[in-house]
Amino acid sequence: MNPLPEDDGKRKRQYWSQEDRETLLEYVTTRVEMALERTIRTDVETAFRDRAIVVMLDGTGARGVELFADSSVRRPMSRK
C-alpha cells in the first residue's frame, strides 16, 4: 500500500488512491467477518466500529484529525 503523499506545504489536502481505499475497505470487511467467525482476537463490536470509521472517512473525504480531535489537548493555531 502506498503511503500518504508527503506534506510539501503546497497541498491543501492529502488523498489516498482509489486502490488504497479499496484495499483498506476489503481489509476491515474481512476483519469483521473474521471477528464474527472468532478466528481473530478482536471482538465483533471493535471490528464493526473500526469498519464504520473507515467507511465514514472514505465516504466523506474528511481527515481523522478533523473528526477525532481531543478537545482537551491544546494545539497551536494553524497558519493561513
Side-chain angles (χ1 to χ4, degrees):
M1 188 178 311
N2 295 329
L4 286 171
E6 291 295 320
D7 183 5
D8 59 8
K10 296 178 184 175
R11 296 178 199 197
K12 295 290 182 190
R13 294 178 178 238
Q14 295 177 342
Y15 296 98
W16 289 47
S17 71
Q18 181 66 31
E19 181 182 349
D20 289 341
R21 290 193 310 273
E22 289 171 4
T23 300
L24 182 56
L25 286 170
E26 288 174 18
Y27 170 78
V28 294
T29 299
T30 299
R31 194 166 169 257
V32 166
E33 293 165 359
M34 293 174 73
L36 288 168
E37 296 166 354
R38 298 179 188 238
T39 56
I40 60 172
R41 289 186 180 174
T42 301
D43 61 272
V44 175
E45 292 82 10
T46 299
F48 271 107
R49 181 208 59 206
D50 294 349
R51 185 178 184 284
I53 291 169
V54 169
V55 169
M56 179 180 61
L57 292 174
D58 178 57
T60 64
R63 297 180 310 150
V65 70
E66 295 168 334
L67 301 173
F68 306 111
D70 183 350
S71 61
S72 68
V73 176
R74 292 185 54 112
R75 291 182 175 77
M77 294 185 63
S78 63
R79 294 181 227 160
K80 293 189 177 186

